[in-house]
Amino acid sequence: MNAYALDLHNIDTNSLALFGGKGANLGELIRMEDITVPRGFCITTAAYRAVVEQNEAFNILLQQLTGLTANQQKAVSEISGNIRHLIAQIPIPVDIVATITKQLATFGENTAFAVRSSATAEDLPTASFAGQQDSYLNVTGEAAILQHISLCWASLFTERAIIYRIQNGFDHQKIQLAVVVQQMIFPQAAGILFTAHPVNANRKILSIDASFGLGEAIVAGVVNTDNYQVNNGQIIHRQIATKQRALYAAKDGGTTLQEITPALQQQQVLTDEQVLTLERLGRKIEAHFGCPQDIEWCLADGIFYIVQSRPVTTLYPIPMVNNADNHVYVSVGHQQMMTDPIKPLGLSFFLLTTPRPMFTAGGRLFVDVAPLLATPAGREMMINVLGQSDPLIKDALLNILERKDFALSVPADDPAAGQPTIPPPSGRPPVDNDPAIVSNLVKEAQASLDTLKQDIQTKSGPALFDFIQEDLHQQKTRGYAPQSLAVILAAMDAYSWLNEKINEWLGEKNVADILTQSVPNNITSEMGLALLDVADAIRPYPDVIEYLQQVRDPHFLEHLNSLRGGRESREAIEDFLAKYGMRCPGEIDITKTRWHENPAILIPILLSHIKNFAPNASIRMFEQGQQEAFKKAQELTDRLKLLPDGEQKALEVQQKISFVRTFMGYREYPKYEKICRYFLYKQAILKEIEQLVQAYIIAEKEDSYYLTFDELREVVRTRELDRQIIPQRKAAYITYEKLSPPRVMTSDGEIITGKYQRDHLPANAIVGLPVSAGVIEGRARVILNMETAVLEEGDILVTAFTDPSWTPLFVSIKGLITEVGGLMTHGAVIAREYGLPAIVGIDNATRLIKDGQRIRLNGTEGYVEILG
């Protein structure tokens, strides 16, 4: 077998490193029955290496490229130009030329060719690389072909290709280029075919763009195209464009853009029969490769030629199920305020704690709500509960329910599937307005934690995993214990009642947001205030502050004692960690680093508190919130008494206010208890993992996070590990990080997006869900990582999501905007307690709002205005 060039018939996807993505896929396609691919051959990556590897100037330039970031555009541009110029000038070795000449000899002397780049990282399931390297059409003659092969090699270092590799984590030195040389087809029409809808991701809808002439004009975006959408042999959408220009082959080589005669401009490019033929070809190619495909095709003399097929890398994966029923998947992450992917160990832990079946896709969790939507009771509960929590989910579900082509049914083998998991109001146990109820619930939880802490220390090996699984099973229903759930629901009901009735009686919206400021027994808001107290303990000691400004070592506490005030500072930090050290960003993923594991995460926040606050700020903030709540309660009472039946109205409102203030704080406690248990589990499991590392069974402790709970237990038991699993899952996780999970999607893969149903808002307003009343203007601080947050007084925090670990930042801001969340999720609850106007559920807020912009946040009506 020649190492430098091979006929396409002798190539397949097992030779990706030799022929690149495009070449390997064409080799697969050309051997498929009923698929027509233009004849050709592929010049391998071995030829590319022979040209550049021993070139000293090339290697120097390549080394300069390593380490650059995508923001260093000037340096990237300069090195890019130098590398491309160099490669284009390097003579192709004689033996490679001879190999190419031999392949060309099998074609006619005047044959025209398409010369296309095929990178080794191209057309992978995880990255498309589409359009990053150059292709050339209508090339004739050996000298011209050799020249354009060199130009293809050089295009591996275009600016766009370099930046794409930087952004997607590909090593410039490991990416190589093959070149596909194919007989040129001169088509009457050409286009692109997606075997899944490119916008909403529906896998059942195939989309075809078509125009006259060559398809490269479509890829370049310089011509208008017809669009046809097909579902199972039916053309469901047809949009005929005015096609003024088309790309055709030029007489002297290359291509030229020509005007289309007026008679053809409105003509349909493809007949219906041709559209359906393309659908059949597309589905056949998709089935062969096993995933949705982006296919380039051309039509010449009634024959469809396939010139490229690559995986569609931007689609969100669909949860795997073993039936063909219609399913509706709702994102768990949007409810849990953590939409980042979760590693396999974290996913399996969460699945062991949830009372409802869940599905994984793209490193996230989803619940199938189709069985609930299929029953009247379930449908009402879903729409009401999720509608209050997240209107975008409600609107998406209503969209699905209105469809005639998406039937929902309760599985025959699960008669309880359509039953609500949250008891309806009539089925809830009554709750007395007694603060002792919350105190007793907290005491019970703490006693359970103390028992777990003692018992887990006696377990090791497989018995530890059995113990944890049994404990998880016992705790699965604890968060849904009747009294615990009744307390939370009573607070939520009272909160909603107050907002509804005060708006009805007095015309004031979202009044409960003020009434819930500084409620007692909120473990999360107490945590934010407690870190202010830690800052108070450190503030008197300049040596400690100077040390903290310079250190980011996870073990920094060990060195504090040598400093003046170090012992006092260390004790304050350790006291805080003893109560809250199990928390961290993304804490529902057990694999995330906890504050206790790396307390240096808290240093920037502590330094910010020391700088921005005076001593005893925590007491003042809590008392101010209390006073505002009590003042509002008195004002409402006075105003209500002036109304008809005012005394009765005032009495009812006072009772509801009391309910809210007695029980709302407990809303955060069940999750705190869960995260405490997680930390105890993790500490015990890490001891087992350390033994695996010492025995060289696992390379490092973080590798174990890519195993499920059951897989890790089996490794601990057998002391054996399939070493292919971890690299594969690491690669998958990197892919998942680039995906944005949908709130709602169907088993067809279609992403259903909801809308806020509101009118009469200012022009250009960015709309979200109002969760904490008030209007504030200030500087937007777009922060995606809590650890790098730098805030000043008056800033409005804009981020993707918050969980309890973000609470210490809330004392430093004047308002909050997040992309996900609901009325009773963490960010909303704490924002109300701290008296911060807040809006959640603004899709793409971190991109719509730029860091440093001055904005107006209206937390009462639920919109943001950009002021400048």
Side-chain angles (χ1 to χ4, degrees):
M1 180 185 292
N2 196 301
Y4 294 134
L6 211 62
D7 188 282
L8 289 178
H9 284 90
N10 299 316
I11 295 172
D12 58 32
T13 50
N14 293 321
S15 308
L16 193 68
L18 203 55
F19 303 107
K22 186 177 293 153
N25 287 351
L26 284 170
E28 293 278 344
L29 289 165
I30 205 168
R31 295 196 306 280
M32 288 179 62
E33 187 179 352
D34 298 329
I35 303 297
T36 305
V37 176
R39 277 189 62 208
F41 60 95
C42 187
I43 301 151
T44 68
T45 54
Y48 167 79
R49 289 196 303 271
V51 169
V52 302
E53 269 191 348
Q54 302 305 316
N55 188 288
E56 184 177 353
F58 170 79
N59 285 304
I60 291 172
L61 288 169
L62 194 60
Q63 193 61 43
Q64 291 175 5
L65 203 58
T66 303
L68 291 181
T69 67
N71 294 327
Q72 295 174 282
Q73 293 182 355
K74 184 177 180 181
V76 168
S77 177
E78 182 179 346
I79 297 172
S80 165
N82 292 338
I83 293 179
R84 284 185 284 116
H85 178 76
L86 175 66
I87 293 175
Q89 300 303 314
I90 298 174
I92 300 177
V94 174
D95 53 344
I96 297 177
V97 172
T99 302
I100 295 170
T101 302
K102 184 177 179 181
Q103 289 286 344
L104 291 173
T106 64
F107 296 86
E109 184 177 349
N110 296 319
T111 302
F113 292 92
V115 182
R116 292 187 170 98
S117 303
S118 178
T120 53
E122 187 175 17
D123 301 344
L124 300 177
T126 58
S128 169
F129 276 70
Q132 301 306 314
Q133 284 79 49
D134 291 340
S135 294
Y136 302 92
L137 302 180
N138 197 23
V139 182
T140 58
E142 180 181 318
I145 290 169
L146 292 172
Q147 177 191 4
H148 284 86
I149 289 169
S150 291
L151 290 174
C152 282
W153 286 334
S155 74
L156 190 60
F157 294 95
T158 61
E159 290 180 49
R160 64 181 182 271
I162 290 169
I163 290 172
Y164 188 90
R165 289 197 292 271
I166 291 172
Q167 291 174 332
N168 287 274
F170 288 91
D171 188 337
H172 301 298
Q173 301 189 48
K174 293 181 180 178
I175 305 299
Q176 299 175 30
L177 197 80
V179 179
V180 174
V181 180
Q182 282 180 286
Q183 184 174 348
M184 183 72 188
I185 302 297
F186 300 97
Q188 289 81 49
I192 299 169
L193 182 161
F194 285 92
T195 63
H197 195 289
V199 177
N200 66 30
N202 190 327
R203 277 30 169 215
K204 288 184 177 179
I205 297 177
L206 181 143
S207 179
I208 300 168
D209 284 341
S211 191
F212 297 118
L214 294 163
E216 273 67 16
I218 298 176
V219 176
V222 297
V223 298
N224 295 329
T225 64
D226 290 355
N227 177 256
Y228 314 93
Q229 293 176 15
V230 191
N231 186 343
N232 194 27
Q234 298 291 322
I235 299 174
I236 61 172
H237 173 81
R238 183 188 289 102
Q239 180 175 313
I240 309 305
T242 300
K243 299 166 284 293
Q244 297 175 333
R245 299 183 297 175
L247 191 71
Y248 292 101
K251 288 183 179 179
D252 300 326
T255 59
T256 179
L257 203 58
Q258 299 178 10
E259 295 294 324
I260 295 176
T261 60
L264 290 177
Q265 288 184 6
Q266 299 289 342
Q267 182 175 308
Q268 188 168 316
V269 174
L270 299 175
T271 67
D272 287 2
E273 183 181 354
Q274 288 170 334
V275 169
L276 297 180
T277 297
L278 266 181
E279 183 206 18
R280 289 191 293 271
L281 294 175
R283 291 302 182 202
K284 184 166 188 174
I285 293 169
E286 178 184 57
H288 179 83
F289 286 108
C291 63
Q293 295 288 297
D294 168 3
I295 300 167
E296 294 182 25
W297 57 270
C298 58
L299 175 65
D301 301 322
I303 299 173
F304 281 108
Y305 292 86
I306 304 300
V307 295
Q308 185 166 326
S309 186
R310 64 170 71 90
V312 182
T313 60
T314 56
L315 299 176
Y316 199 87
I318 306 172
M320 298 293 291
V321 293
N322 58 3
N323 61 60
D325 295 339
N326 286 332
H327 301 273
V328 179
Y329 300 108
V330 172
S331 166
V332 174
H334 283 80
Q335 304 299 305
Q336 291 290 331
M337 297 290 280
M338 213 291 273
T339 54
D340 287 347
I342 302 176
K343 295 183 178 71
L345 185 62
L347 285 172
S348 59
F349 252 98
F350 199 95
L351 288 170
L352 287 168
T353 66
T354 176
R356 277 193 65 84
M358 291 186 181
F359 301 86
T360 62
R364 281 90 169 179
L365 290 163
F366 294 85
V367 174
D368 178 17
V369 300
L372 284 168
L373 294 177
T375 68
R379 190 158 52 243
E380 182 180 2
M381 189 278 291
M382 288 300 300
I383 298 302
N384 289 339
V385 173
L386 284 181
Q388 285 188 354
S389 172
D390 190 331
L392 293 180
I393 292 180
K394 174 183 179 179
D395 193 57
L397 295 179
L398 289 173
N399 180 317
I400 292 171
L401 290 171
E402 290 171 1
R403 296 187 174 188
K404 306 300 183 185
D405 60 345
F406 197 85
L408 299 168
S409 59
V410 179
D413 58 346
D414 187 7
Q419 298 304 311
T421 55
I422 297 176
S426 60
R428 298 175 191 169
V431 179
D432 294 328
N433 188 6
D434 182 2
I437 295 174
V438 172
S439 300
N440 291 335
L441 286 170
V442 171
K443 287 177 184 177
E444 288 174 13
Q446 189 57 56
S448 178
L449 285 170
D450 292 341
T451 301
L452 173 62
K453 188 173 184 178
Q454 293 177 354
D455 292 348
I456 203 168
Q457 293 175 4
T458 66
K459 310 298 180 183
S460 62
L464 170 64
F465 289 82
D466 295 340
F467 171 80
I468 291 173
Q469 187 162 6
E470 177 58 29
D471 189 71
L472 285 168
H473 178 72
Q474 291 179 7
Q475 296 303 319
K476 183 181 290 189
T477 58
R478 182 177 179 83
Y480 291 90
Q483 191 173 47
S484 177
L485 188 58
V487 165
I488 294 171
L489 293 175
M492 293 169 62
D493 287 346
Y495 174 92
S496 299
W497 187 94
L498 283 166
N499 278 338
E500 179 184 343
K501 291 301 182 182
I502 296 301
N503 188 29
E504 176 187 339
W505 293 336
L506 298 176
E508 187 171 346
K509 291 184 177 181
N510 301 330
V511 71
D513 296 353
I514 301 172
L515 298 169
T516 52
Q517 289 187 44
S518 298
V519 297
N521 300 314
N522 188 317
I523 191 72
T524 307
S525 62
E526 289 170 0
M527 175 180 67
L529 299 176
L531 202 61
L532 284 170
D533 295 337
V534 177
D536 284 353
I538 298 171
R539 188 178 287 105
Y541 305 111
D543 291 350
V544 175
I545 295 171
E546 183 180 359
Y547 171 70
L548 293 179
Q549 289 170 338
Q550 299 170 0
V551 70
R552 289 298 180 269
D553 179 1
H555 307 291
F556 77 95
L557 289 173
E558 299 172 6
H559 308 290
L560 276 177
N561 285 353
S562 61
L563 302 173
R564 179 179 173 273
R567 182 178 59 80
E568 293 86 346
S569 300
R570 178 173 178 172
E571 286 178 358
I573 295 171
E574 287 180 337
D575 287 346
F576 178 86
L577 292 174
K579 189 168 185 179
Y580 304 110
M582 75 296 297
R583 312 219 83 150
C584 68
E587 61 190 9
I588 65 171
D589 180 357
I590 198 172
T591 69
K592 293 285 188 180
T593 301
R594 312 281 140 172
W595 291 341
H596 204 292
E597 295 170 302
N598 182 12
I601 295 171
L602 296 170
I603 291 176
I605 307 173
L606 283 170
L607 291 173
S608 176
H609 287 356
I610 292 168
K611 174 186 175 183
N612 295 325
F613 290 94
N616 300 314
S618 66
I619 297 172
R620 287 195 304 277
M621 287 182 66
F622 187 81
E623 289 179 347
Q624 181 181 345
Q626 271 190 330
Q627 290 168 8
E628 290 184 12
F630 295 156
K631 180 181 177 182
K632 191 66 181 178
Q634 186 60 52
E635 175 203 323
L636 292 173
T637 299
D638 294 342
R639 291 169 62 191
L640 287 167
K641 287 180 178 179
L642 300 176
L643 301 177
D645 298 324
E647 291 290 341
Q648 180 61 33
K649 287 183 172 70
L651 179 61
E652 291 179 34
V653 166
Q654 289 169 357
Q655 290 173 342
K656 295 297 183 181
I657 292 173
S658 180
F659 251 81
V660 165
R661 296 199 62 80
T662 300
F663 293 134
M664 186 60 81
Y666 180 73
R667 171 72 177 80
E668 292 282 303
Y669 199 87
K671 187 174 184 182
Y672 170 78
E673 182 196 356
K674 179 176 182 176
I675 299 306
C676 287
R677 303 188 90 84
Y678 264 31
F679 187 53
L680 294 172
Y681 300 149
K682 186 177 184 181
Q683 286 179 306
I685 288 174
L686 283 175
K687 293 177 182 178
E688 300 296 323
I689 293 170
E690 184 58 37
Q691 293 181 27
L692 296 177
V693 173
Q694 292 175 359
Y696 301 103
I697 297 168
I698 288 179
E700 53 188 13
K701 74 173 185 180
E702 287 78 10
D703 285 354
S704 66
Y705 298 161
Y706 295 92
L707 300 173
T708 67
F709 180 85
D710 288 338
E711 288 169 344
L712 183 56
R713 171 166 45 193
E714 192 65 9
V715 172
V716 168
R717 186 183 70 81
T718 63
R719 318 297 282 183
E720 294 178 357
L721 171 67
D722 180 352
R723 299 191 180 276
Q724 298 299 315
I725 292 178
I726 290 171
Q728 290 171 357
R729 290 185 181 167
K730 282 185 176 180
Y733 183 81
I734 291 171
T735 304
Y736 299 154
E737 286 184 301
K738 301 170 188 172
L739 299 174
S740 297
R743 277 180 167 80
V744 180
M745 69 174 168
T746 71
S747 44
D748 295 336
E750 182 178 0
I751 295 172
I752 311 295
T753 55
K755 296 180 180 179
Y756 290 106
Q757 305 298 327
R758 272 183 277 155
D759 301 319
H760 311 299
L761 296 180
N764 302 318
I766 302 171
V767 186
L769 175 66
V771 294
S772 186
V775 180
I776 187 75
E777 292 183 10
R779 180 181 67 163
R781 290 310 317 270
V782 180
I783 296 173
L784 300 180
N785 186 340
M786 190 195 86
E787 298 169 32
T788 60
V790 178
L791 295 163
E792 295 181 6
E793 187 176 358
D795 283 347
I796 298 173
L797 173 62
V798 183
T799 190
F801 56 83
T802 65
D803 59 13
S805 70
W806 286 69
T807 301
L809 293 183
F810 282 27
V811 300
S812 301
I813 61 176
K814 296 298 182 184
L816 173 70
I817 298 168
T818 67
E819 294 181 342
V820 301
L823 196 62
M824 289 297 166
T825 48
H826 155 75
V829 172
I830 304 305
R832 291 192 292 268
E833 281 207 32
Y834 285 175
L836 304 174
I839 302 174
V840 303
I842 297 181
D843 275 336
N844 300 313
T846 56
R847 290 193 286 272
L848 294 172
I849 302 169
K850 307 300 182 186
D851 186 57
Q853 283 183 323
R854 186 163 183 81
I855 63 175
R856 179 183 296 122
L857 184 165
N858 190 320
T860 304
E861 299 293 341
Y863 64 87
V864 177
E865 295 173 276
I866 307 296
L867 303 178

